[in-house]
Amino acid sequence: MNNDKADFTQGSILKKLIAFMIPVLGALILQAAYGAVDLLVVGRFGSTSGLSAVSTGSQVLNLVTFVVIQFAMGITVLIARYLGEKKPQQIGAVVGGASIVFTLISAVLFVVMVFFARPIAILMQAPEEAVDLTASYIRICGGGIFFIVAYNLLSAIFRGLGDSQSPLLFVLVACIVNVIGDLALVAGLHMDAAAIATVSAQALSVVFAILLLIKKKLPFTITRHDFRFNPQCPKFLSIGLPLALQEFLTQLSFLALCAFVNRLGLEASSGYGVACKIVNFAMLVPSALMQSMASFVSQNVGAGKVKRAKHTLFTGIGVGLCVGCIVFTLVLLKGDILSGFFSTDAAVIQNSYDYLKGFALESIVTAVLFSMIGYFNGNNQTLWVMTQGLIQTLLVRLPLAYFMSIQLDASLTKIGLAAPVSTIVGIILNIGYYIRCKMTPI
């Protein structure tokens, strides 16, 4: 591992942040790509009910994946903090304890997704024609949940060490396998093959990640004694749990939004599913900034360079806004063309574009919000991150989306507006918190 590249406490903030962020962004792009491939292939070779099933089922999988990612953020932040404090000997216990905790999480998710797949599909208000297919998709993904969780845990460890390139290689392997699997299986067999290809890709990616971890020269040692509930577990749990809870409720709001849209019919459901894949790509740069800044800021705070950590916040916001304006223009003006990549059905494409028109502003305002969240995460202020997230979700996004969906002239454009409105509220809350507390690092 190149120590200079992994040392965020000196040198140009912009250059080092971008150098670390680009592989993170690359990994997110590939991760979004292999998720989108399921929808793309089913949309081209399958039925509208199959497209709706993958759309609804992938929303459930997104909930699980994003919650795990936020939970793992506690590990990333703690490892980066120990590197900044020059205490690498503590990292082995963090990794060992995290392995035990995340194995238990995987076991719980396995039971829920495999044995309660159909109730989940019904709860999601999947269209009647797509309930069985949706349940099947969820059940297969649940069967491979151990691999999905393991991949995100390993990626969090490497990012905490200042290595964002290895997770890029992991997801590259997964993406290639998933594309080949989808084209070989879905086109010739059945919609279930989309889920099988996704799980198989994650499994091979995890094997590759473990082999790389074993061969890589690491700044810490790990022993059998570390694989237990140890004193490091409460530390990363105290950071990760608030983020996981906040993300869980946020993703629940998106599931509820999916249920609201499903009530508008099969074409609206399929169109929303297509729009969500485009949204996933639109959110990639803000998401990469958030993950990168957590490591960057935490390492600087650990080294006592609080002023540099603050400068990182504004650098991240600037980068995000530049890209966000470009994405906003593309989504707003060319959303129909983008939707056409995922479906040939004119009604589905129009419904997707209708949602994107309302959502478009989110690509700009999220750049600001996610940069602030990454900064607060790096400062160990995860309780605040959870609080502001709950306010956005429970008091703004969900009520507004529901209100829009029950109007006589309900439209996907109006429902889509709930996202940027709630994000703007979040920015206001975070600015107020930043000014009030003046961010005294922990």
PDB file of all heavy atoms in Angstrom, residues 275 278-279 282-283 323-335 352-367 412-413 415-421:
ATOM      1  N   ALA A 275     -36.687   4.640 -13.626  1.00  0.00           N
ATOM      2  CA  ALA A 275     -36.209   5.937 -13.134  1.00  0.00           C
ATOM      3  C   ALA A 275     -35.246   5.763 -11.963  1.00  0.00           C
ATOM      4  O   ALA A 275     -34.241   6.481 -11.857  1.00  0.00           O
ATOM      5  CB  ALA A 275     -37.389   6.806 -12.716  1.00  0.00           C
ATOM      6  N   ILE A 278     -31.747   5.122 -13.041  1.00  0.00           N
ATOM      7  CA  ILE A 278     -31.104   6.359 -13.500  1.00  0.00           C
ATOM      8  C   ILE A 278     -30.738   7.235 -12.305  1.00  0.00           C
ATOM      9  O   ILE A 278     -29.664   7.847 -12.254  1.00  0.00           O
ATOM     10  CB  ILE A 278     -32.037   7.112 -14.468  1.00  0.00           C
ATOM     11  CG1 ILE A 278     -32.279   6.254 -15.719  1.00  0.00           C
ATOM     12  CG2 ILE A 278     -31.455   8.475 -14.856  1.00  0.00           C
ATOM     13  CD1 ILE A 278     -33.348   6.786 -16.643  1.00  0.00           C
ATOM     14  N   VAL A 279     -31.635   7.274 -11.321  1.00  0.00           N
ATOM     15  CA  VAL A 279     -31.379   8.026 -10.090  1.00  0.00           C
ATOM     16  C   VAL A 279     -30.129   7.491  -9.401  1.00  0.00           C
ATOM     17  O   VAL A 279     -29.308   8.263  -8.885  1.00  0.00           O
ATOM     18  CB  VAL A 279     -32.603   7.944  -9.154  1.00  0.00           C
ATOM     19  CG1 VAL A 279     -32.237   8.389  -7.744  1.00  0.00           C
ATOM     20  CG2 VAL A 279     -33.740   8.792  -9.701  1.00  0.00           C
ATOM     21  N   ALA A 282     -27.281   9.004 -11.000  1.00  0.00           N
ATOM     22  CA  ALA A 282     -27.220  10.441 -10.732  1.00  0.00           C
ATOM     23  C   ALA A 282     -26.644  10.737  -9.346  1.00  0.00           C
ATOM     24  O   ALA A 282     -26.037  11.784  -9.122  1.00  0.00           O
ATOM     25  CB  ALA A 282     -28.621  11.054 -10.854  1.00  0.00           C
ATOM     26  N   MET A 283     -26.823   9.798  -8.408  1.00  0.00           N
ATOM     27  CA  MET A 283     -26.372   9.993  -7.026  1.00  0.00           C
ATOM     28  C   MET A 283     -24.962   9.479  -6.780  1.00  0.00           C
ATOM     29  O   MET A 283     -24.472   9.512  -5.647  1.00  0.00           O
ATOM     30  CB  MET A 283     -27.346   9.289  -6.069  1.00  0.00           C
ATOM     31  CG  MET A 283     -28.747   9.878  -6.032  1.00  0.00           C
ATOM     32  SD  MET A 283     -28.781  11.571  -5.354  1.00  0.00           S
ATOM     33  CE  MET A 283     -28.896  12.529  -6.868  1.00  0.00           C
ATOM     34  N   VAL A 323     -20.243  18.863 -10.616  1.00  0.00           N
ATOM     35  CA  VAL A 323     -20.757  17.674 -11.298  1.00  0.00           C
ATOM     36  C   VAL A 323     -22.281  17.648 -11.248  1.00  0.00           C
ATOM     37  O   VAL A 323     -22.948  17.269 -12.221  1.00  0.00           O
ATOM     38  CB  VAL A 323     -20.185  16.394 -10.658  1.00  0.00           C
ATOM     39  CG1 VAL A 323     -20.754  15.149 -11.336  1.00  0.00           C
ATOM     40  CG2 VAL A 323     -18.666  16.395 -10.745  1.00  0.00           C
ATOM     41  N   GLY A 324     -22.856  18.062 -10.114  1.00  0.00           N
ATOM     42  CA  GLY A 324     -24.308  18.029  -9.933  1.00  0.00           C
ATOM     43  C   GLY A 324     -25.054  18.853 -10.963  1.00  0.00           C
ATOM     44  O   GLY A 324     -26.126  18.447 -11.436  1.00  0.00           O
ATOM     45  N   CYS A 325     -24.516  20.002 -11.329  1.00  0.00           N
ATOM     46  CA  CYS A 325     -25.177  20.853 -12.327  1.00  0.00           C
ATOM     47  C   CYS A 325     -25.220  20.172 -13.697  1.00  0.00           C
ATOM     48  O   CYS A 325     -26.209  20.288 -14.431  1.00  0.00           O
ATOM     49  CB  CYS A 325     -24.442  22.196 -12.433  1.00  0.00           C
ATOM     50  SG  CYS A 325     -24.663  23.267 -10.982  1.00  0.00           S
ATOM     51  N   ILE A 326     -24.162  19.451 -14.020  1.00  0.00           N
ATOM     52  CA  ILE A 326     -24.130  18.724 -15.297  1.00  0.00           C
ATOM     53  C   ILE A 326     -25.160  17.604 -15.292  1.00  0.00           C
ATOM     54  O   ILE A 326     -25.918  17.418 -16.257  1.00  0.00           O
ATOM     55  CB  ILE A 326     -22.717  18.156 -15.555  1.00  0.00           C
ATOM     56  CG1 ILE A 326     -21.702  19.307 -15.679  1.00  0.00           C
ATOM     57  CG2 ILE A 326     -22.706  17.289 -16.804  1.00  0.00           C
ATOM     58  CD1 ILE A 326     -20.263  18.849 -15.760  1.00  0.00           C
ATOM     59  N   VAL A 327     -25.209  16.848 -14.191  1.00  0.00           N
ATOM     60  CA  VAL A 327     -26.148  15.731 -14.080  1.00  0.00           C
ATOM     61  C   VAL A 327     -27.587  16.238 -14.108  1.00  0.00           C
ATOM     62  O   VAL A 327     -28.464  15.645 -14.745  1.00  0.00           O
ATOM     63  CB  VAL A 327     -25.886  14.923 -12.795  1.00  0.00           C
ATOM     64  CG1 VAL A 327     -26.951  13.833 -12.608  1.00  0.00           C
ATOM     65  CG2 VAL A 327     -24.495  14.293 -12.833  1.00  0.00           C
ATOM     66  N   PHE A 328     -27.832  17.357 -13.433  1.00  0.00           N
ATOM     67  CA  PHE A 328     -29.161  17.963 -13.402  1.00  0.00           C
ATOM     68  C   PHE A 328     -29.654  18.268 -14.820  1.00  0.00           C
ATOM     69  O   PHE A 328     -30.783  17.930 -15.196  1.00  0.00           O
ATOM     70  CB  PHE A 328     -29.122  19.248 -12.578  1.00  0.00           C
ATOM     71  CG  PHE A 328     -30.338  20.124 -12.738  1.00  0.00           C
ATOM     72  CD1 PHE A 328     -31.524  19.828 -12.081  1.00  0.00           C
ATOM     73  CD2 PHE A 328     -30.298  21.250 -13.558  1.00  0.00           C
ATOM     74  CE1 PHE A 328     -32.648  20.627 -12.227  1.00  0.00           C
ATOM     75  CE2 PHE A 328     -31.410  22.062 -13.707  1.00  0.00           C
ATOM     76  CZ  PHE A 328     -32.590  21.745 -13.038  1.00  0.00           C
ATOM     77  N   THR A 329     -28.797  18.886 -15.603  1.00  0.00           N
ATOM     78  CA  THR A 329     -29.162  19.240 -16.986  1.00  0.00           C
ATOM     79  C   THR A 329     -29.455  17.997 -17.815  1.00  0.00           C
ATOM     80  O   THR A 329     -30.427  17.947 -18.570  1.00  0.00           O
ATOM     81  CB  THR A 329     -28.022  20.042 -17.640  1.00  0.00           C
ATOM     82  OG1 THR A 329     -27.753  21.212 -16.841  1.00  0.00           O
ATOM     83  CG2 THR A 329     -28.391  20.464 -19.046  1.00  0.00           C
ATOM     84  N   LEU A 330     -28.620  16.982 -17.654  1.00  0.00           N
ATOM     85  CA  LEU A 330     -28.780  15.747 -18.418  1.00  0.00           C
ATOM     86  C   LEU A 330     -30.082  15.036 -18.064  1.00  0.00           C
ATOM     87  O   LEU A 330     -30.837  14.610 -18.946  1.00  0.00           O
ATOM     88  CB  LEU A 330     -27.589  14.826 -18.161  1.00  0.00           C
ATOM     89  CG  LEU A 330     -27.501  13.551 -18.999  1.00  0.00           C
ATOM     90  CD1 LEU A 330     -27.353  13.904 -20.474  1.00  0.00           C
ATOM     91  CD2 LEU A 330     -26.321  12.696 -18.541  1.00  0.00           C
ATOM     92  N   VAL A 331     -30.368  14.914 -16.750  1.00  0.00           N
ATOM     93  CA  VAL A 331     -31.570  14.207 -16.296  1.00  0.00           C
ATOM     94  C   VAL A 331     -32.836  14.964 -16.699  1.00  0.00           C
ATOM     95  O   VAL A 331     -33.820  14.370 -17.149  1.00  0.00           O
ATOM     96  CB  VAL A 331     -31.532  14.005 -14.768  1.00  0.00           C
ATOM     97  CG1 VAL A 331     -32.883  13.515 -14.238  1.00  0.00           C
ATOM     98  CG2 VAL A 331     -30.439  13.013 -14.391  1.00  0.00           C
ATOM     99  N   LEU A 332     -32.817  16.283 -16.558  1.00  0.00           N
ATOM    100  CA  LEU A 332     -34.002  17.077 -16.838  1.00  0.00           C
ATOM    101  C   LEU A 332     -34.329  17.138 -18.331  1.00  0.00           C
ATOM    102  O   LEU A 332     -35.495  17.044 -18.730  1.00  0.00           O
ATOM    103  CB  LEU A 332     -33.822  18.501 -16.293  1.00  0.00           C
ATOM    104  CG  LEU A 332     -35.030  19.430 -16.421  1.00  0.00           C
ATOM    105  CD1 LEU A 332     -36.200  18.900 -15.589  1.00  0.00           C
ATOM    106  CD2 LEU A 332     -34.661  20.848 -15.981  1.00  0.00           C
ATOM    107  N   LEU A 333     -33.298  17.280 -19.155  1.00  0.00           N
ATOM    108  CA  LEU A 333     -33.534  17.476 -20.587  1.00  0.00           C
ATOM    109  C   LEU A 333     -33.484  16.195 -21.414  1.00  0.00           C
ATOM    110  O   LEU A 333     -34.094  16.117 -22.481  1.00  0.00           O
ATOM    111  CB  LEU A 333     -32.508  18.478 -21.136  1.00  0.00           C
ATOM    112  CG  LEU A 333     -32.510  19.877 -20.500  1.00  0.00           C
ATOM    113  CD1 LEU A 333     -31.473  20.755 -21.163  1.00  0.00           C
ATOM    114  CD2 LEU A 333     -33.892  20.512 -20.571  1.00  0.00           C
ATOM    115  N   LYS A 334     -32.769  15.193 -20.928  1.00  0.00           N
ATOM    116  CA  LYS A 334     -32.593  13.961 -21.708  1.00  0.00           C
ATOM    117  C   LYS A 334     -33.050  12.720 -20.942  1.00  0.00           C
ATOM    118  O   LYS A 334     -32.625  11.603 -21.267  1.00  0.00           O
ATOM    119  CB  LYS A 334     -31.116  13.807 -22.111  1.00  0.00           C
ATOM    120  CG  LYS A 334     -30.568  14.967 -22.942  1.00  0.00           C
ATOM    121  CD  LYS A 334     -31.264  15.067 -24.298  1.00  0.00           C
ATOM    122  CE  LYS A 334     -30.694  16.224 -25.123  1.00  0.00           C
ATOM    123  NZ  LYS A 334     -31.360  16.326 -26.440  1.00  0.00           N
ATOM    124  N   GLY A 335     -33.931  12.904 -19.971  1.00  0.00           N
ATOM    125  CA  GLY A 335     -34.385  11.777 -19.163  1.00  0.00           C
ATOM    126  C   GLY A 335     -35.097  10.705 -19.958  1.00  0.00           C
ATOM    127  O   GLY A 335     -35.007   9.515 -19.640  1.00  0.00           O
ATOM    128  N   SER A 352     -41.203   6.941 -16.543  1.00  0.00           N
ATOM    129  CA  SER A 352     -39.875   7.138 -15.968  1.00  0.00           C
ATOM    130  C   SER A 352     -39.449   8.604 -16.082  1.00  0.00           C
ATOM    131  O   SER A 352     -38.978   9.217 -15.111  1.00  0.00           O
ATOM    132  CB  SER A 352     -38.863   6.243 -16.683  1.00  0.00           C
ATOM    133  OG  SER A 352     -37.547   6.522 -16.255  1.00  0.00           O
ATOM    134  N   TYR A 353     -39.643   9.177 -17.260  1.00  0.00           N
ATOM    135  CA  TYR A 353     -39.257  10.574 -17.495  1.00  0.00           C
ATOM    136  C   TYR A 353     -40.092  11.517 -16.631  1.00  0.00           C
ATOM    137  O   TYR A 353     -39.575  12.530 -16.120  1.00  0.00           O
ATOM    138  CB  TYR A 353     -39.423  10.903 -18.979  1.00  0.00           C
ATOM    139  CG  TYR A 353     -38.836  12.230 -19.393  1.00  0.00           C
ATOM    140  CD1 TYR A 353     -37.777  12.803 -18.708  1.00  0.00           C
ATOM    141  CD2 TYR A 353     -39.350  12.913 -20.499  1.00  0.00           C
ATOM    142  CE1 TYR A 353     -37.241  14.023 -19.105  1.00  0.00           C
ATOM    143  CE2 TYR A 353     -38.813  14.131 -20.912  1.00  0.00           C
ATOM    144  CZ  TYR A 353     -37.760  14.684 -20.201  1.00  0.00           C
ATOM    145  OH  TYR A 353     -37.229  15.889 -20.593  1.00  0.00           O
ATOM    146  N   ASP A 354     -41.354  11.201 -16.437  1.00  0.00           N
ATOM    147  CA  ASP A 354     -42.211  12.032 -15.586  1.00  0.00           C
ATOM    148  C   ASP A 354     -41.644  12.117 -14.172  1.00  0.00           C
ATOM    149  O   ASP A 354     -41.606  13.191 -13.564  1.00  0.00           O
ATOM    150  CB  ASP A 354     -43.632  11.460 -15.539  1.00  0.00           C
ATOM    151  CG  ASP A 354     -44.394  11.695 -16.837  1.00  0.00           C
ATOM    152  OD1 ASP A 354     -43.947  12.540 -17.643  1.00  0.00           O
ATOM    153  OD2 ASP A 354     -45.419  11.024 -17.051  1.00  0.00           O
ATOM    154  N   TYR A 355     -41.192  10.983 -13.633  1.00  0.00           N
ATOM    155  CA  TYR A 355     -40.621  10.985 -12.284  1.00  0.00           C
ATOM    156  C   TYR A 355     -39.313  11.777 -12.256  1.00  0.00           C
ATOM    157  O   TYR A 355     -39.061  12.562 -11.330  1.00  0.00           O
ATOM    158  CB  TYR A 355     -40.375   9.557 -11.804  1.00  0.00           C
ATOM    159  CG  TYR A 355     -39.783   9.497 -10.417  1.00  0.00           C
ATOM    160  CD1 TYR A 355     -40.591   9.610  -9.289  1.00  0.00           C
ATOM    161  CD2 TYR A 355     -38.413   9.359 -10.232  1.00  0.00           C
ATOM    162  CE1 TYR A 355     -40.048   9.597  -8.014  1.00  0.00           C
ATOM    163  CE2 TYR A 355     -37.855   9.338  -8.971  1.00  0.00           C
ATOM    164  CZ  TYR A 355     -38.679   9.455  -7.860  1.00  0.00           C
ATOM    165  OH  TYR A 355     -38.124   9.439  -6.591  1.00  0.00           O
ATOM    166  N   LEU A 356     -38.484  11.592 -13.270  1.00  0.00           N
ATOM    167  CA  LEU A 356     -37.179  12.260 -13.311  1.00  0.00           C
ATOM    168  C   LEU A 356     -37.310  13.783 -13.360  1.00  0.00           C
ATOM    169  O   LEU A 356     -36.451  14.501 -12.832  1.00  0.00           O
ATOM    170  CB  LEU A 356     -36.376  11.767 -14.521  1.00  0.00           C
ATOM    171  CG  LEU A 356     -35.916  10.300 -14.457  1.00  0.00           C
ATOM    172  CD1 LEU A 356     -35.270   9.902 -15.777  1.00  0.00           C
ATOM    173  CD2 LEU A 356     -34.952  10.100 -13.301  1.00  0.00           C
ATOM    174  N   LYS A 357     -38.362  14.286 -13.982  1.00  0.00           N
ATOM    175  CA  LYS A 357     -38.566  15.734 -14.033  1.00  0.00           C
ATOM    176  C   LYS A 357     -38.712  16.317 -12.631  1.00  0.00           C
ATOM    177  O   LYS A 357     -38.195  17.392 -12.340  1.00  0.00           O
ATOM    178  CB  LYS A 357     -39.809  16.061 -14.860  1.00  0.00           C
ATOM    179  CG  LYS A 357     -39.658  15.804 -16.356  1.00  0.00           C
ATOM    180  CD  LYS A 357     -40.983  16.036 -17.078  1.00  0.00           C
ATOM    181  CE  LYS A 357     -40.901  15.697 -18.550  1.00  0.00           C
ATOM    182  NZ  LYS A 357     -42.217  15.830 -19.237  1.00  0.00           N
ATOM    183  N   GLY A 358     -39.441  15.623 -11.772  1.00  0.00           N
ATOM    184  CA  GLY A 358     -39.601  16.101 -10.402  1.00  0.00           C
ATOM    185  C   GLY A 358     -38.357  15.899  -9.569  1.00  0.00           C
ATOM    186  O   GLY A 358     -38.031  16.689  -8.683  1.00  0.00           O
ATOM    187  N   PHE A 359     -37.621  14.847  -9.876  1.00  0.00           N
ATOM    188  CA  PHE A 359     -36.447  14.473  -9.083  1.00  0.00           C
ATOM    189  C   PHE A 359     -35.198  15.286  -9.435  1.00  0.00           C
ATOM    190  O   PHE A 359     -34.293  15.428  -8.611  1.00  0.00           O
ATOM    191  CB  PHE A 359     -36.155  12.980  -9.299  1.00  0.00           C
ATOM    192  CG  PHE A 359     -34.930  12.490  -8.599  1.00  0.00           C
ATOM    193  CD1 PHE A 359     -34.989  12.031  -7.297  1.00  0.00           C
ATOM    194  CD2 PHE A 359     -33.696  12.486  -9.253  1.00  0.00           C
ATOM    195  CE1 PHE A 359     -33.850  11.581  -6.645  1.00  0.00           C
ATOM    196  CE2 PHE A 359     -32.555  12.040  -8.616  1.00  0.00           C
ATOM    197  CZ  PHE A 359     -32.627  11.580  -7.304  1.00  0.00           C
ATOM    198  N   ALA A 360     -35.111  15.830 -10.627  1.00  0.00           N
ATOM    199  CA  ALA A 360     -33.872  16.380 -11.198  1.00  0.00           C
ATOM    200  C   ALA A 360     -33.078  17.279 -10.249  1.00  0.00           C
ATOM    201  O   ALA A 360     -31.850  17.162 -10.149  1.00  0.00           O
ATOM    202  CB  ALA A 360     -34.193  17.139 -12.487  1.00  0.00           C
ATOM    203  N   LEU A 361     -33.747  18.178  -9.533  1.00  0.00           N
ATOM    204  CA  LEU A 361     -33.048  19.110  -8.637  1.00  0.00           C
ATOM    205  C   LEU A 361     -32.254  18.388  -7.560  1.00  0.00           C
ATOM    206  O   LEU A 361     -31.255  18.909  -7.054  1.00  0.00           O
ATOM    207  CB  LEU A 361     -34.057  20.068  -7.995  1.00  0.00           C
ATOM    208  CG  LEU A 361     -33.491  21.140  -7.068  1.00  0.00           C
ATOM    209  CD1 LEU A 361     -32.533  22.056  -7.817  1.00  0.00           C
ATOM    210  CD2 LEU A 361     -34.623  21.947  -6.428  1.00  0.00           C
ATOM    211  N   GLU A 362     -32.657  17.162  -7.236  1.00  0.00           N
ATOM    212  CA  GLU A 362     -31.967  16.382  -6.207  1.00  0.00           C
ATOM    213  C   GLU A 362     -30.496  16.162  -6.551  1.00  0.00           C
ATOM    214  O   GLU A 362     -29.645  16.071  -5.654  1.00  0.00           O
ATOM    215  CB  GLU A 362     -32.683  15.028  -6.039  1.00  0.00           C
ATOM    216  CG  GLU A 362     -32.040  14.074  -5.054  1.00  0.00           C
ATOM    217  CD  GLU A 362     -32.375  14.391  -3.611  1.00  0.00           C
ATOM    218  OE1 GLU A 362     -32.880  15.508  -3.358  1.00  0.00           O
ATOM    219  OE2 GLU A 362     -32.136  13.554  -2.746  1.00  0.00           O
ATOM    220  N   SER A 363     -30.177  16.077  -7.833  1.00  0.00           N
ATOM    221  CA  SER A 363     -28.789  15.833  -8.237  1.00  0.00           C
ATOM    222  C   SER A 363     -27.867  16.985  -7.856  1.00  0.00           C
ATOM    223  O   SER A 363     -26.652  16.797  -7.734  1.00  0.00           O
ATOM    224  CB  SER A 363     -28.714  15.576  -9.742  1.00  0.00           C
ATOM    225  OG  SER A 363     -29.272  16.655 -10.468  1.00  0.00           O
ATOM    226  N   ILE A 364     -28.424  18.184  -7.647  1.00  0.00           N
ATOM    227  CA  ILE A 364     -27.618  19.340  -7.225  1.00  0.00           C
ATOM    228  C   ILE A 364     -27.563  19.445  -5.716  1.00  0.00           C
ATOM    229  O   ILE A 364     -26.488  19.524  -5.116  1.00  0.00           O
ATOM    230  CB  ILE A 364     -28.180  20.648  -7.822  1.00  0.00           C
ATOM    231  CG1 ILE A 364     -28.051  20.640  -9.350  1.00  0.00           C
ATOM    232  CG2 ILE A 364     -27.444  21.857  -7.240  1.00  0.00           C
ATOM    233  CD1 ILE A 364     -28.622  21.876 -10.020  1.00  0.00           C
ATOM    234  N   VAL A 365     -28.714  19.437  -5.071  1.00  0.00           N
ATOM    235  CA  VAL A 365     -28.752  19.682  -3.634  1.00  0.00           C
ATOM    236  C   VAL A 365     -28.139  18.537  -2.831  1.00  0.00           C
ATOM    237  O   VAL A 365     -27.597  18.736  -1.737  1.00  0.00           O
ATOM    238  CB  VAL A 365     -30.199  19.968  -3.149  1.00  0.00           C
ATOM    239  CG1 VAL A 365     -30.701  21.262  -3.747  1.00  0.00           C
ATOM    240  CG2 VAL A 365     -31.142  18.816  -3.500  1.00  0.00           C
ATOM    241  N   THR A 366     -28.188  17.316  -3.373  1.00  0.00           N
ATOM    242  CA  THR A 366     -27.592  16.186  -2.660  1.00  0.00           C
ATOM    243  C   THR A 366     -26.080  16.312  -2.561  1.00  0.00           C
ATOM    244  O   THR A 366     -25.467  15.823  -1.617  1.00  0.00           O
ATOM    245  CB  THR A 366     -27.958  14.856  -3.350  1.00  0.00           C
ATOM    246  OG1 THR A 366     -29.369  14.695  -3.320  1.00  0.00           O
ATOM    247  CG2 THR A 366     -27.332  13.673  -2.634  1.00  0.00           C
ATOM    248  N   ALA A 367     -25.457  16.975  -3.533  1.00  0.00           N
ATOM    249  CA  ALA A 367     -24.011  17.176  -3.494  1.00  0.00           C
ATOM    250  C   ALA A 367     -23.605  17.934  -2.230  1.00  0.00           C
ATOM    251  O   ALA A 367     -22.575  17.642  -1.610  1.00  0.00           O
ATOM    252  CB  ALA A 367     -23.557  17.934  -4.737  1.00  0.00           C
ATOM    253  N   LEU A 412     -46.269  11.149 -11.325  1.00  0.00           N
ATOM    254  CA  LEU A 412     -44.930  10.772 -10.878  1.00  0.00           C
ATOM    255  C   LEU A 412     -44.024  11.997 -10.733  1.00  0.00           C
ATOM    256  O   LEU A 412     -43.113  12.006  -9.910  1.00  0.00           O
ATOM    257  CB  LEU A 412     -44.319   9.773 -11.862  1.00  0.00           C
ATOM    258  CG  LEU A 412     -44.929   8.365 -11.838  1.00  0.00           C
ATOM    259  CD1 LEU A 412     -44.306   7.496 -12.929  1.00  0.00           C
ATOM    260  CD2 LEU A 412     -44.727   7.714 -10.484  1.00  0.00           C
ATOM    261  N   THR A 413     -44.271  13.026 -11.518  1.00  0.00           N
ATOM    262  CA  THR A 413     -43.479  14.255 -11.402  1.00  0.00           C
ATOM    263  C   THR A 413     -43.662  14.884 -10.026  1.00  0.00           C
ATOM    264  O   THR A 413     -42.685  15.287  -9.370  1.00  0.00           O
ATOM    265  CB  THR A 413     -43.880  15.274 -12.490  1.00  0.00           C
ATOM    266  OG1 THR A 413     -43.653  14.693 -13.781  1.00  0.00           O
ATOM    267  CG2 THR A 413     -43.068  16.556 -12.366  1.00  0.00           C
ATOM    268  N   ILE A 415     -44.727  13.362  -7.273  1.00  0.00           N
ATOM    269  CA  ILE A 415     -44.170  12.461  -6.269  1.00  0.00           C
ATOM    270  C   ILE A 415     -42.651  12.600  -6.221  1.00  0.00           C
ATOM    271  O   ILE A 415     -42.033  12.584  -5.148  1.00  0.00           O
ATOM    272  CB  ILE A 415     -44.567  10.998  -6.580  1.00  0.00           C
ATOM    273  CG1 ILE A 415     -46.080  10.820  -6.413  1.00  0.00           C
ATOM    274  CG2 ILE A 415     -43.823  10.027  -5.668  1.00  0.00           C
ATOM    275  CD1 ILE A 415     -46.598   9.461  -6.809  1.00  0.00           C
ATOM    276  N   GLY A 416     -42.033  12.771  -7.393  1.00  0.00           N
ATOM    277  CA  GLY A 416     -40.584  12.918  -7.455  1.00  0.00           C
ATOM    278  C   GLY A 416     -40.061  14.150  -6.746  1.00  0.00           C
ATOM    279  O   GLY A 416     -38.903  14.176  -6.303  1.00  0.00           O
ATOM    280  N   LEU A 417     -40.886  15.173  -6.610  1.00  0.00           N
ATOM    281  CA  LEU A 417     -40.466  16.412  -5.938  1.00  0.00           C
ATOM    282  C   LEU A 417     -40.180  16.221  -4.456  1.00  0.00           C
ATOM    283  O   LEU A 417     -39.479  17.036  -3.842  1.00  0.00           O
ATOM    284  CB  LEU A 417     -41.552  17.484  -6.102  1.00  0.00           C
ATOM    285  CG  LEU A 417     -41.641  18.174  -7.470  1.00  0.00           C
ATOM    286  CD1 LEU A 417     -42.909  19.016  -7.550  1.00  0.00           C
ATOM    287  CD2 LEU A 417     -40.408  19.038  -7.716  1.00  0.00           C
ATOM    288  N   ALA A 418     -40.702  15.148  -3.858  1.00  0.00           N
ATOM    289  CA  ALA A 418     -40.511  14.922  -2.427  1.00  0.00           C
ATOM    290  C   ALA A 418     -39.030  14.785  -2.075  1.00  0.00           C
ATOM    291  O   ALA A 418     -38.596  15.191  -0.992  1.00  0.00           O
ATOM    292  CB  ALA A 418     -41.279  13.677  -1.987  1.00  0.00           C
ATOM    293  N   ALA A 419     -38.228  14.208  -2.975  1.00  0.00           N
ATOM    294  CA  ALA A 419     -36.805  13.986  -2.707  1.00  0.00           C
ATOM    295  C   ALA A 419     -36.026  15.296  -2.562  1.00  0.00           C
ATOM    296  O   ALA A 419     -35.387  15.530  -1.531  1.00  0.00           O
ATOM    297  CB  ALA A 419     -36.198  13.092  -3.782  1.00  0.00           C
ATOM    298  N   PRO A 420     -36.030  16.197  -3.562  1.00  0.00           N
ATOM    299  CA  PRO A 420     -35.258  17.435  -3.407  1.00  0.00           C
ATOM    300  C   PRO A 420     -35.767  18.339  -2.295  1.00  0.00           C
ATOM    301  O   PRO A 420     -34.982  19.025  -1.638  1.00  0.00           O
ATOM    302  CB  PRO A 420     -35.388  18.123  -4.780  1.00  0.00           C
ATOM    303  CG  PRO A 420     -36.565  17.498  -5.429  1.00  0.00           C
ATOM    304  CD  PRO A 420     -36.626  16.096  -4.918  1.00  0.00           C
ATOM    305  N   VAL A 421     -37.082  18.342  -2.048  1.00  0.00           N
ATOM    306  CA  VAL A 421     -37.623  19.174  -0.963  1.00  0.00           C
ATOM    307  C   VAL A 421     -37.073  18.713   0.383  1.00  0.00           C
ATOM    308  O   VAL A 421     -36.635  19.521   1.203  1.00  0.00           O
ATOM    309  CB  VAL A 421     -39.167  19.127  -0.952  1.00  0.00           C
ATOM    310  CG1 VAL A 421     -39.712  19.794   0.312  1.00  0.00           C
ATOM    311  CG2 VAL A 421     -39.726  19.821  -2.195  1.00  0.00           C
TER     312      VAL A 421
END
